Amino acid sequence: MLVNNPFTMDFKKFFILIFILSIGCTYSFAQKESSSTKTKKEKKEKKVKAPKEKKVKAPKEKKEKAPKASSTDSSGEGGDKNFGPVFDGASVSVSTGVNVYYGDIAAYNLFPRTSQFKDHITAAFKFSIARDIKWGLGARLSYQKGSLIGTRKTGKHSSLVSFENHFNDISFQARYNLNDALFKKNEYNRFKLYGFIGFGYMWYRSQLYYTETLNTKDYEGYIEVENTQGISQKTLSDKTSKAKTWTIPYGLTLSYKYNYKIDIHLDFTQTSTFTDRLDAFDRSWTAKDKYNYIGVGVTYNFNRTKDDAPKKRPKKEDENDDTVDSSDTDPSKNDNIKKGIFSKKNKRKKSNDDELLNIRLKLFETQLKLFEMQYLLGK
């Protein structure tokens, strides 16, 4: 008879227990490794998904230097002084320019050539008071002082004659702001275009004379001295009333808003008269005389405040300063930049390693179950 050796049975059980414990340790160690790898992956994913946002430095606001107080802008409260509701939209303008004469003694049709400037163009001065009323409409009262000259042969076989005219002209005009009708509204637009037409009164003195001899041929607004009557060399006296005529001025004014008080303007005015004697020469078949005024001037606006100052266009900031590169916010692009061509291979390797770990863990689980069964059966 075979006797069971208890020592041998205990040794076998002890050996099985040690083997089960070793397998359990390896299983727990593998689980720790898998959990550590998972946590590392999660951390990496978090780092990729939520990259550190680069702080975009806000562009420093440039401190606008206060404009220097000019002679036209009074300092302190005086610059915004309100003169009362009557002066709302009111302005005063002063301009200087040139007069161009159009009549029987003009040796051109549209505009004199540069060689004719000294014989047909003279300096002029203009002063105006204006007020905006409503709906773009306004009114203007203008006073102009100047002179007109011209030189021409009145016929093929006639001698060269010249004339000289000194005049004063006052007129009342209705004007309209053409910006609303012609252009789109733009708060940054500094230009205004006005059209105007009116009526006026002109008083003048004019002398027509032979260019070579300077002998007087005819005159307006003068009288002859008694001793020179009937001779070619006449002496004229201004001790009489000036010649007078009605006028119709019309034209355009282009205004530029320099600041909230001052405008700079370009004035083009054509004045038609009701006389053909501006040049002291007339013909029955010719049109009435007229003249053009082209001048540049300055306008001072009452009751304007700093709120009416011209608005400056905002400067376009660079795209590099305003926007952050997409590569900084998109993790996939960062991965592509870092990994380059080998990014796909690295991803495949990681996925293969994860699969192997999962397979090993499953094998350990099955082995443990088998040893447990064997242990229980051995009992």
Side-chain angles (χ1 to χ4, degrees):
M1 288 180 69
L2 293 170
V3 182
N4 289 330
N5 191 355
F7 181 75
T8 56
M9 289 297 290
D10 292 334
F11 182 75
K12 283 179 181 179
K13 288 178 182 179
F14 181 72
F15 180 75
I16 288 165
L17 284 170
I18 290 168
F19 187 73
I20 289 165
L21 288 169
S22 65
I23 289 166
C25 290
T26 53
Y27 176 71
S28 62
F29 181 72
Q31 269 189 339
K32 284 180 182 179
E33 280 187 353
S34 64
S35 63
S36 64
T37 53
K38 283 180 182 179
T39 52
K40 285 179 181 179
K41 280 183 184 179
E42 287 175 359
K43 285 179 181 179
K44 285 181 180 179
E45 285 176 358
K46 284 179 181 178
K47 284 181 181 179
V48 172
K49 285 180 182 177
K52 290 182 180 179
E53 293 181 355
K54 290 187 177 181
K55 292 182 180 179
V56 181
K57 291 183 180 179
K60 293 181 179 179
E61 294 181 357
K62 293 182 179 178
K63 294 181 180 178
E64 293 183 358
K65 293 181 179 179
K68 293 181 179 178
S70 59
S71 59
T72 54
D73 295 335
S74 56
S75 59
E77 296 179 355
D80 296 337
K81 187 177 179 180
N82 194 308
F83 294 91
V86 177
F87 287 86
D88 289 343
S91 61
V92 175
S93 302
V94 177
S95 65
T96 182
V98 295
N99 286 328
V100 184
Y101 157 78
Y102 292 89
D104 298 326
I105 312 300
Y108 48 85
N109 293 321
L110 292 175
F111 199 78
R113 298 186 297 271
T114 52
S115 60
Q116 297 176 320
F117 280 4
K118 64 179 181 179
D119 297 326
H120 295 88
I121 291 178
T122 54
F125 165 82
K126 195 172 187 179
F127 174 79
S128 302
I129 300 171
R131 190 181 189 278
D132 295 329
I133 301 171
K134 203 173 183 181
W135 304 306
L137 290 170
R140 185 170 76 166
L141 182 67
S142 295
Y143 169 76
Q144 187 176 349
K145 182 178 177 64
S147 61
L148 301 171
I149 58 173
T151 301
R152 185 186 178 185
K153 284 185 177 183
T154 55
K156 289 183 179 179
H157 303 289
S158 61
S159 57
L160 191 68
V161 292
S162 301
F163 87 97
E164 188 173 349
N165 176 302
H166 298 276
F167 71 91
N168 294 277
D169 185 4
I170 188 167
S171 62
F172 179 80
Q173 302 149 18
R175 68 177 187 178
Y176 179 70
N177 186 356
L178 297 172
N179 279 34
D180 297 336
L182 299 177
F183 310 107
K184 291 181 180 179
K185 287 185 178 180
N186 186 357
E187 61 181 353
Y188 302 111
N189 186 18
R190 295 188 177 207
F191 290 94
K192 283 186 180 180
L193 183 65
Y194 293 96
F196 59 87
I197 188 170
F199 64 93
Y201 190 72
M202 181 181 186
W203 55 101
Y204 64 94
R205 299 184 194 274
S206 183
Q207 181 186 7
L208 180 69
Y209 57 90
Y210 294 101
T211 308
E212 293 178 358
T213 61
L214 302 179
N215 292 334
T216 301
K217 184 179 180 181
D218 206 345
Y219 54 88
E220 279 287 322
Y222 292 102
I223 56 171
E224 293 182 25
V225 177
E226 293 180 359
N227 297 333
T228 60
Q229 288 179 352
I231 61 174
S232 58
Q233 292 180 349
K234 295 177 182 179
T235 302
L236 301 178
S237 172
D238 58 359
K239 292 180 179 180
T240 185
S241 61
K242 294 181 178 180
K244 302 172 184 68
T245 184
W246 294 99
T247 61
I248 299 177
Y250 48 89
L252 297 169
T253 301
L254 181 64
S255 177
Y256 174 78
K257 186 185 280 188
Y258 180 71
N259 57 30
Y260 72 98
K261 284 290 186 185
I262 301 299
D263 294 345
I264 299 169
H265 69 270
L266 175 66
D267 187 356
F268 175 80
T269 306
Q270 185 168 85
T271 303
S272 296
T273 67
F274 286 79
T275 183
D276 196 22
R277 295 282 296 174
L278 279 184
D279 47 14
F281 182 87
D282 61 338
R283 284 172 173 167
S284 58
W285 65 88
T286 57
K288 305 297 182 184
D289 295 335
K290 64 180 74 171
Y291 69 93
N292 289 349
Y293 170 77
I294 303 169
V296 178
V298 178
T299 303
Y300 178 81
N301 298 275
F302 297 97
N303 288 1
R304 270 195 191 173
T305 62
K306 290 180 180 179
D307 295 333
D308 299 317
K311 294 182 180 180
K312 293 182 179 179
R313 291 179 183 273
K315 292 182 180 179
K316 292 181 179 180
E317 295 180 357
D318 297 334
E319 292 180 358
N320 295 330
D321 296 333
D322 292 339
T323 57
V324 181
D325 293 337
S326 58
S327 60
D328 294 337
T329 55
D330 193 351
S332 62
K333 288 184 180 179
N334 284 329
D335 290 337
N336 291 331
I337 291 164
K338 289 177 183 178
K339 293 172 185 176
I341 300 166
F342 304 102
S343 59
K344 289 181 181 179
K345 290 182 180 180
N346 293 329
K347 284 178 182 178
R348 285 176 185 174
K349 284 180 181 180
K350 282 185 177 181
S351 61
N352 291 331
D353 292 338
D354 294 337
E355 287 176 2
L356 286 169
L357 280 170
N358 290 326
I359 291 164
R360 284 175 185 174
L361 288 170
K362 287 177 181 179
L363 286 170
F364 282 125
E365 286 177 1
T366 51
Q367 283 178 358
L368 281 170
K369 287 177 181 179
L370 286 169
F371 281 119
E372 283 177 2
M373 292 294 292
Q374 285 178 3
Y375 179 72
L376 292 168
L377 290 169
K379 282 184 177 181

